[in-house]
Amino acid sequence: MQTQMQKNEIEDLKSALRKAELARKKAEQILGDKNFELHKTNQKLASTNKMMEALLNDQSTQLNAIVNNSSLGIVLTEKGNLIKANNAFKKILGYSEIELKKLTIKDITHKDDLFNSLKYIKKLENGTINDFLMKKRYRRKDGNYIICKTNVTAIRDAKGRLKYQVALIEDVTVSEQHVNMLKAINLLSVSILGKNDLFDISWEIAKNTANHLGLEDCVIYTVDIKKKMMTQVAAYGDKNSEGYTIKNILTIPIGKGIVGTVALTGKAELINDTTLDERYIVDCNVRCSELAVPIIVNNKVIGVIDSEHSEKNYFNKVHLDTFTNIANLAAAQFNNAISLLKEEASKTEKNKLLIKLEKSNIELNNFAQVVSHDLKSPLRSMSALISWIHEDNHYLFNHETNDNFEKLLKKVDKMDHLINGILKYSSIDKTNFTSQNVDLHELVTDMIDLIYIPNHFSIKIKTKLPTFKSNKFKLQQLFQNLISNAIKYNNNKKAEVIIDCVEKPKSYLFSIKDNGIGIDPKYHKKIFEVFETLEESDENSTGIGLSIVKKIITLFDGKIWLESKFGAGTTFFFELKKDTPKV
Amino acid sequence: MRLTILLVEDDEIELLKFKKALNKINSPIKILSAKNGEEAIQLCETSLPNLIFLDLKMPKMNGLEFLSLLKNNEELKSIPAMILTTSNNHNDINNAYKIGIAGYIVKPLRYDAYVAQIKKVIEYWCINELVKR
């Protein structure tokens, strides 16, 4: 029984063994599979790694390419030291990589911008800000300064502490200069607008140019073409202490020095290194670069704008362009000023002449008055004395002598006529020129009644003469002289004088027509001159009448002319304004 | 009634002319003469003339200056004064009338005409109540 039992047990064991064997095999199988998988995964991992590596390499190259080819200067700094910089940065500042690594931000920052720069960096450090943007000036290796737009970003470690700073810089020097130049020109044009004093304009230009462009100095020279010299008229910088004075004004012959050359050639000069230019004249201090631009008016150099700088290579094309613009502006303003001065000078000259003329006119009139009166008195005495001698002795004289006495008296008469003529002529002037409403028709009608008119004469007024504002006395003199003339020079048996008037919009056109002896056209001008009479031995004619007429017409700002032929009568035309001029 | 006339005139021949002209008038006239304004004022104060003939142009004190002095003198201002001159200048005439004159005579050139004018004037004043007093 036991055996059966044993047999059963053995069977059981065997089965268990088989099972175990099977399980082991299965486990082995699984392990093998796993191993394979692992291997595969390993292989995959390796290839991924390789890919990753390649990818990383690729990206780094790309980044480097971007960084190094960027037109922006890029620099990595750690605690103010320059760690890494791209090509653009090196190029902008002019340093090599090795040189840069020895420098700190402080070394390349303009001292005036350092304070602001540090202030921002502090904020980066204490975490108030993560980036900032500022415009600052960097010092190039050659010593010149450039203006850069600078964008700084903080790079922090895991704990948020500032580790690196990345700065992107863009050189805006030229555009900044352009802006400044434009601003300078604008401000300058405003400041010299309306100024017409050469001195004022020069000072404005010197001051504005130097200030707005940040120049060390600016000097304006004027050119004296006659003396072939040029003189400083305005100087900003070392040359002036304060206000509008120049210390030790420099005078340079045209053609000498750089400024003198510009004055001679009319071409601007930009000198990068004055120590190499033998023309350079030392003014106050030796300066290494110079810019001189001519101010040209009407193709002539009238001045030069000059600036010098202690550094070599300071001035660039932008400066030159700006100076040229300023010179053009100055030229225009100077031209205005000069023409204004000329105009003013000629105006004052004219006024002076006018006053002088008026004075001499008054003097002449007074002279004529005084002399005439002084002549009149002795003439009266003479006349009396002649009369007395004649009266007392006429029975002693023969016929001829008595006759001569009569002739003598007639000459005295003639003399008196002439003196009266001069008196009348010289008394027609602006004084006593009052105007009131004058009824010309009444005036002329009354006059015709009063003056002597021979019987065979007819005087007609064709249309009613107007009433207008004028000077009664002078109008009377005017018509009286013309009518008297018309009567005097008429030997026609049916003599007539016709007075007429035509109204025009702003004036009256009068005409006095006679049928008398007429006047040869060649005398038409001459007859208005003083003492011109056409008949030589005319006792009654003084040659004053028509010159008085002319003088009155001139005083009234009117016109007079005549139409006449010898032997065919004369018509005098004259035009008087309705509004008498204010005298 | 004897008329006293003062002629203020610096020219001798003019004085002679005046005297000769008055001689031709048949009325008793006393003629006083002064060579300038200063003399004339003195004469006026001492002799009180009935009429004054006054030249404008004179040395020292001229006619208008004398006239002003005369017209500002309470005692003398009623004496009629007439200008006898060669000047027909508007200003002179205006100024003389402004100060106060009894007439303005411009001397004619011819002696005959002069005599005729003076005669008329004297005759006018001879029939004038003021001068008769």
Side-chain angles (χ1 to χ4, degrees):
Chain A
M1 282 307 282
Q2 211 185 357
T3 322
Q4 192 62 38
M5 254 185 74
Q6 276 177 326
K7 253 182 173 170
N8 279 352
E9 270 177 14
I10 287 165
E11 270 316 300
D12 281 351
L13 273 170
K14 270 182 180 171
S15 154
L17 211 64
R18 259 194 323 268
K19 266 180 190 170
E21 181 71 6
L22 215 66
R24 192 185 53 87
K25 266 188 181 162
K26 216 172 184 176
E28 259 173 14
Q29 178 73 37
I30 289 167
L31 197 69
D33 282 357
K34 286 285 174 208
N35 252 343
F36 182 70
E37 231 170 81
L38 193 69
H39 174 69
K40 262 197 166 166
T41 312
N42 254 346
Q43 262 185 338
K44 224 176 181 175
L45 207 64
S47 84
T48 311
N49 257 349
K50 231 178 206 167
M51 257 173 69
M52 288 280 282
E53 216 165 89
L55 203 68
L56 202 68
N57 259 337
D58 215 25
Q59 274 181 351
S60 169
T61 316
Q62 279 173 7
L63 193 67
N64 267 338
I66 291 171
V67 168
N68 277 330
N69 291 316
S70 163
S71 65
L72 295 175
I74 301 170
V75 66
L76 189 72
T77 61
E78 186 180 19
K79 287 176 184 146
N81 295 312
L82 304 166
I83 308 276
K84 209 169 164 57
N86 71 344
N87 289 336
F89 189 84
K90 289 176 225 159
K91 209 173 145 192
I92 290 170
L93 289 176
Y95 292 103
S96 71
E97 178 126 29
I98 304 160
E99 286 167 331
L100 273 179
K101 279 189 175 153
K102 290 175 191 157
L103 293 170
T104 61
I105 287 289
K106 208 178 148 186
D107 295 330
I108 57 167
T109 301
H110 192 284
K111 61 178 178 3
D112 292 346
D113 291 334
L114 206 58
F115 177 76
N116 264 340
S117 184
L118 288 174
K119 207 169 74 189
Y120 278 122
I121 290 169
K122 264 221 173 94
K123 282 184 179 174
L124 278 188
E125 278 169 356
N126 63 29
T128 340
I129 54 169
N130 248 336
D131 53 44
F132 67 86
L133 178 71
M134 74 177 285
K135 233 178 234 175
K136 61 185 275 190
R137 280 162 291 177
Y138 292 98
R139 201 180 125 89
R140 281 174 54 91
K141 192 186 170 186
D142 61 18
N144 286 338
Y145 284 94
I146 50 164
I147 304 162
C148 290
K149 226 177 179 177
T150 305
N151 195 343
V152 181
T153 311
I155 295 174
R156 305 186 187 277
D157 62 12
K159 289 180 181 165
R161 282 178 302 206
L162 182 68
K163 186 147 177 63
Y164 301 114
Q165 295 169 39
V166 180
L168 271 67
I169 67 165
E170 184 189 355
D171 184 359
V172 289
T173 314
V174 175
S175 64
E176 193 77 359
Q177 274 176 344
H178 270 294
V179 170
N180 280 340
M181 309 274 150
L182 271 179
K183 214 156 100 190
I185 292 170
N186 269 339
L187 285 168
L188 183 63
S189 62
V190 170
S191 73
I192 62 174
L193 196 77
K195 286 207 164 57
N196 46 40
D197 184 291
L198 291 177
F199 184 78
D200 280 358
I201 297 168
S202 300
W203 274 99
E204 285 299 329
I205 292 170
K207 271 176 106 171
N208 275 291
T209 309
N211 274 334
H212 297 303
L213 302 183
L215 304 176
E216 286 180 356
D217 82 340
C218 183
V219 181
I220 313 289
Y221 292 81
T222 54
V223 175
D224 187 334
I225 295 169
K226 273 187 203 152
K227 288 185 185 161
K228 295 190 172 171
M229 294 295 274
M230 40 201 317
T231 317
Q232 297 175 329
V233 280
Y236 188 80
D238 300 351
K239 288 284 293 186
N240 82 309
S241 42
E242 55 185 44
Y244 296 100
T245 49
I246 307 176
K247 285 187 282 180
N248 311 320
I249 296 174
L250 190 67
T251 307
I252 303 172
I254 293 175
K256 264 206 131 181
I258 292 161
V259 174
T261 309
V262 171
L264 186 70
T265 60
K267 285 192 180 103
E269 295 259 3
L270 197 161
I271 312 295
N272 283 322
D273 190 350
T274 55
T275 56
L276 301 176
D277 198 313
E278 54 192 16
R279 295 172 301 173
Y280 182 70
I281 297 174
V282 180
D283 188 356
C284 289
N285 305 303
V286 180
R287 292 207 176 88
C288 292
S289 49
E290 181 168 359
L291 177 63
V293 176
I295 302 168
I296 300 171
V297 174
N298 298 330
N299 296 323
K300 272 181 203 150
V301 180
I302 61 153
V304 174
I305 306 177
D306 176 66
S307 180
E308 294 180 9
H309 203 274
S310 49
E311 293 164 22
K312 286 178 189 173
N313 303 313
Y314 178 77
F315 296 103
N316 56 25
K317 177 125 195 324
V318 181
H319 286 115
L320 177 64
D321 288 348
T322 310
F323 266 52
T324 309
N325 278 326
I326 290 172
N328 287 341
L329 199 69
Q333 201 64 28
F334 279 147
N335 203 12
N336 280 349
I338 289 166
S339 52
L340 214 77
L341 278 178
K342 272 187 195 158
E343 206 176 287
E344 222 142 82
S346 76
K347 226 190 222 165
T348 20
E349 194 61 28
K350 232 181 182 169
N351 275 344
K352 265 190 205 160
L353 269 174
L354 219 67
I355 290 166
K356 221 171 147 186
L357 199 69
E358 205 161 312
K359 212 175 145 192
S360 73
N361 236 347
I362 292 169
E363 271 171 8
L364 198 67
N365 275 349
N366 288 343
F367 174 76
Q369 290 273 340
V370 170
V371 170
S372 304
H373 280 300
D374 285 358
L375 288 176
K376 269 172 102 176
S377 296
L379 206 60
R380 267 144 192 74
S381 301
M382 269 167 71
S383 180
L385 286 167
I386 294 164
S387 295
W388 294 339
I389 297 169
H390 193 217
E391 233 174 63
D392 296 346
N393 300 296
H394 67 100
Y395 53 90
L396 291 175
F397 298 148
N398 63 19
H399 179 71
E400 203 185 339
T401 310
N402 280 328
D403 210 34
N404 281 345
F405 264 98
E406 207 40 54
K407 280 179 183 163
L408 192 58
L409 281 176
K410 270 193 176 162
K411 283 292 163 199
V412 172
D413 279 352
K414 169 89 179 177
M415 182 98 169
D416 196 51
H417 267 303
L418 284 170
I419 294 168
N420 279 328
I422 296 169
L423 271 171
K424 267 186 202 157
Y425 184 78
S426 65
S427 68
I428 303 162
D429 55 23
K430 288 174 187 175
T431 51
N432 298 324
F433 195 97
T434 50
S435 63
Q436 72 255 49
N437 265 330
V438 182
D439 184 343
L440 195 63
H441 196 81
E442 194 187 298
L443 185 88
V444 175
T445 317
D446 287 353
M447 190 195 300
I448 293 167
D449 286 345
L450 277 175
I451 52 179
Y452 168 74
I453 298 162
N455 279 334
H456 64 285
F457 240 95
S458 88
I459 297 183
K460 283 179 204 154
I461 302 175
K462 205 172 165 189
T463 46
K464 195 171 186 288
L465 300 177
T467 299
F468 66 112
K469 248 196 153 142
S470 189
N471 183 282
K472 191 176 174 179
F473 180 68
K474 289 188 169 80
L475 272 184
Q476 195 171 352
Q477 268 184 306
L478 178 62
F479 276 88
Q480 194 179 341
N481 274 298
L482 284 170
I483 295 169
S484 302
N485 255 17
I487 296 168
K488 203 189 283 176
Y489 301 104
N490 198 328
N491 46 22
N492 203 309
K493 275 175 191 161
K494 272 191 163 182
E496 62 171 8
V497 176
I498 299 165
I499 302 161
D500 197 6
C501 174
V502 178
E503 188 175 352
K504 289 185 156 192
K506 284 186 176 173
S507 61
Y508 295 107
L509 174 63
F510 297 97
S511 61
I512 295 175
K513 186 183 175 175
D514 68 54
N515 56 356
I517 54 173
I519 302 162
D520 194 312
K522 68 178 171 186
Y523 296 122
H524 283 191
K525 240 187 162 164
K526 213 177 174 187
I527 50 163
F528 290 112
E529 287 165 24
V530 191
F531 293 128
E532 286 297 338
T533 164
L534 300 180
E535 286 177 33
E536 274 172 34
S537 58
D538 186 355
E539 292 291 336
N540 298 318
S541 168
T542 55
I544 297 271
L546 280 178
S547 52
I548 286 175
V549 165
K550 173 85 179 178
K551 204 173 170 185
I552 292 170
I553 295 278
T554 311
L555 201 67
F556 280 139
D557 202 12
K559 274 188 291 187
I560 184 161
W561 68 97
L562 65 148
E563 280 172 11
S564 178
K565 263 187 202 161
F566 192 66
T570 307
T571 309
F572 277 97
F573 294 96
F574 57 100
E575 204 171 342
L576 296 178
K577 288 179 177 163
K578 283 178 182 174
D579 303 314
T580 39
K582 292 254 184 304
V583 200
Chain B
M1 156 94 213
R2 206 167 123 100
L3 207 62
T4 306
I5 295 174
L6 170 64
L7 176 69
V8 192
E9 166 73 72
D10 64 311
D11 191 285
E12 264 180 70
I13 293 168
E14 285 302 311
L15 181 62
L16 198 63
K17 234 167 94 181
F18 190 71
K19 280 181 178 168
K20 277 199 171 204
L22 288 189
N23 269 340
K24 295 200 174 183
I25 301 162
N26 294 324
S27 44
I29 294 168
K30 189 183 173 191
I31 300 172
L32 302 169
S33 71
K35 279 189 162 37
N36 60 55
E38 268 174 42
E39 273 183 37
I41 281 287
Q42 283 172 6
L43 262 177
C44 282
E45 280 166 351
T46 53
S47 313
L48 221 61
N50 302 108
L51 251 183
I52 299 170
F53 282 90
L54 178 65
D55 188 19
L56 287 177
K57 282 192 87 180
M58 282 175 302
K60 287 188 187 176
M61 190 192 287
N62 74 28
L64 290 180
E65 283 165 349
F66 165 74
L67 197 64
S68 305
L69 223 61
L70 187 78
K71 291 296 151 187
N72 283 322
N73 186 315
E74 280 302 318
E75 310 239 325
L76 306 175
K77 71 177 180 187
S78 58
I79 304 173
M82 311 216 310
I83 306 292
L84 185 61
T85 182
T86 52
S87 164
N88 57 355
N89 183 291
H90 269 265
N91 281 337
D92 285 345
I93 297 170
N94 280 341
N95 288 334
Y97 269 105
K98 262 182 210 159
I99 301 169
I101 48 168
Y104 194 107
I105 302 161
V106 178
K107 288 179 206 165
L109 178 69
R110 289 284 180 121
Y111 177 62
D112 302 351
Y114 175 80
V115 175
Q117 271 193 5
I118 296 295
K119 199 177 168 196
K120 273 184 207 162
V121 174
I122 299 295
E123 276 167 3
Y124 164 75
W125 284 108
C126 279
I127 57 158
N128 208 298
E129 287 297 326
L130 178 73
V131 178
K132 283 184 191 166
R133 283 206 203 125

